[in-house]
Amino acid sequence: MEEKKVVVNSEMENMRLDRYLRKQFKNESLSKIFSAIRNGDVKVNAKKSKESYRLSLGDILTIKMLKSSEKKENNFEKIKIKKEDIENYKKMIIFENKDFFIVNKKEKVAMHKGTGHSYGLSEVFKKIYQNKNINFSNRLDYDTSGLVIGCKNLKFLRYISEKIRNNEVKKKYFAIVHNGEFKNKKDFKIENYLTTAENRVIVSENPVSRESKKSITYFKYTNIDKLKNQKKILDLLGKNKNILLLDIELITGRKHQIRAQLADKELFIVGDKKYGIKDRSDRFFLCCYFLSFDEYKFSILDRVFF
């Protein structure tokens, strides 16, 4: 049976290895799937792994002895997408070349189809480019806006995923938070461990399991005047004086890293319904406004939170 290689993209990220295999190899028995993992017929980055391992962006899976139940047709062709949505998604593109494109994702836009969403960025851009190999190398939550990298081929996906794993892709965010314990407004760094549970991320000073990952983020207090659409933002927030604007640089890129770390310090992002407080905001104020790698730099300072 031929060997299959799979690069973990944003849709697969944080999924348990056994869950991914059960989803992709539905015709195989559970005993055969677990046997393949134990025997090393399924490897992660050329090494044997446990069934409970959570996939990381850019991991390379090598799979033997399992027959895929994945259908050959381009499933994106069957998804019905509104014509106006296709045009609106096209407008989100701020740069493209033969290998990749940069999308300024709006808030309340899903990355992938799933519960409550018949399609997301992945399905729409597969349709736009008529290319089943379209993948996004980084992921933003449904309510988070900002820059994401779309890959047009698997070669570039592998390349940029490796750079992300090596922390060679620079990402900056703006977040508006409720003022918490940090009253002195000094710049600060948070360095701790994040562990992915089923529905949220657990923050700890030390690893609590093998899945715990070291997470580092830099935070700077800045003036809201820095944002060109400040009046609109202040109107949305009701001119609440007990809020702060943070300029954030991710050193590592873990699931819910910014949200979980800030909540742990009682600096709750305005509108965060998972980690925050009940502030009645219908907007979530977290945006990836800057992204750079190699010689490329992208910024949406003039369009933050739109």
Side-chain angles (χ1 to χ4, degrees), residues 80-123:
K80 294 182 179 179
I81 302 174
K82 296 178 182 177
K83 186 175 180 180
E84 58 266 33
D85 278 353
I86 289 179
E87 293 306 312
N88 287 334
Y89 279 57
K90 284 180 180 179
K91 292 176 184 177
M92 295 184 195
I93 300 171
I94 66 168
F95 174 87
E96 71 172 310
N97 62 20
K98 65 181 180 65
D99 291 317
F100 71 93
F101 57 103
I102 302 296
V103 171
N104 178 17
K105 185 183 91 68
K106 306 304 179 185
E107 62 167 10
K108 300 190 188 313
V109 170
M111 293 295 302
H112 308 280
K113 66 178 181 179
T115 305
H117 311 292
S118 56
Y119 51 82
L121 284 185
S122 181
E123 291 74 30

Side-chain angles (χ1 to χ4, degrees), residues 3 17 21 29-44 46-51 62-66:
E3 183 178 276
L17 176 61
L21 294 173
S29 66
L30 289 180
S31 60
K32 187 171 181 180
I33 288 174
F34 285 117
S35 176
I37 296 173
R38 287 194 301 270
N39 295 336
D41 292 321
V42 176
K43 293 183 178 180
V44 181
K47 296 179 182 179
K48 289 176 67 173
S49 185
K50 290 191 172 183
E51 62 268 12
T62 306
I63 304 168
K64 296 187 292 185
M65 306 307 293
L66 295 175

Side-chain angles (χ1 to χ4, degrees), residues 182-205:
F182 287 84
K183 304 293 184 181
N184 55 10
K185 294 190 179 182
K186 289 183 179 179
D187 298 343
F188 59 99
K189 170 187 175 184
I190 296 180
E191 183 172 342
N192 49 26
Y193 288 85
L194 300 183
T195 308
T196 301
E198 288 304 313
N199 297 315
R200 60 191 295 120
V201 167
I202 299 168
V203 180
S204 60
E205 293 304 312

Side-chain angles (χ1 to χ4, degrees), residues 215-276:
S215 305
I216 304 170
T217 318
Y218 288 100
F219 299 86
K220 292 182 179 180
Y221 288 98
T222 188
N223 195 314
I224 205 163
D225 292 344
K226 190 171 184 178
L227 302 183
K228 293 188 177 181
N229 54 336
Q230 56 169 303
K231 185 178 185 303
K232 183 176 180 179
I233 292 170
L234 288 172
D235 287 342
L236 282 168
L237 295 171
K239 298 184 179 178
N240 188 336
K241 295 181 180 179
N242 194 34
I243 58 169
L244 299 166
L245 176 65
L246 295 178
D247 194 341
I248 303 164
E249 181 176 352
L250 279 179
I251 304 303
T252 56
R254 314 300 185 201
K255 179 180 180 180
H256 293 175
Q257 180 170 323
I258 295 172
R259 301 169 68 180
Q261 287 185 327
L262 285 175
D264 186 61
K265 300 298 183 184
E266 296 186 0
L267 284 167
F268 303 106
I269 299 176
V270 175
D272 191 342
K273 294 178 174 59
K274 181 179 285 287
Y275 296 93

